[in-house]
């Protein structure tokens, strides 16, 4: 149960980092959101396989 809570907190932090509302992050492009998508897909696969 602790592992899924930690992963959920990490996903929320990555989601906040992917939002380009700060001036220094406007030039990053699609990098942060694509990393978020990759992490979310891995999390869903692990969740469906029962590893989490």
């Amino acid at each position: 149960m602790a592992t899924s809570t930690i992963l959920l907190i990490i996903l929320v932090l990555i989601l906040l980092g992917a939002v380009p509302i700060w001036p220094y992050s406007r030039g990053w492009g699609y990098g942060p959101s694509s990393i978020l998508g990759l992490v979310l897909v891995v999390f869903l696969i692990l969740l469906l396989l029962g590893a989490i």
Side-chain angles (χ1 to χ4, degrees), residues 38-52:
L38 179 66
V39 169
L40 188 60
V41 166
V42 169
F43 179 72
L44 287 175
I45 290 172
L46 289 175
L47 190 66
L48 290 174
L49 290 176
I52 298 178

Side-chain angles (χ1 to χ4, degrees), residues 10-25:
I10 290 172
L11 281 174
V12 168
L13 289 175
I14 292 173
L15 179 66
L16 287 175
V19 178
I21 57 173
W22 295 283
Y24 60 85
S25 65

Side-chain angles (χ1 to χ4, degrees), residues 1-13 43 47 52:
M1 193 61 147
T3 305
S4 62
T5 305
I6 291 170
L7 285 175
L8 185 64
I9 290 171
I10 290 172
L11 281 174
V12 168
L13 289 175
F43 179 72
L47 190 66
I52 298 178

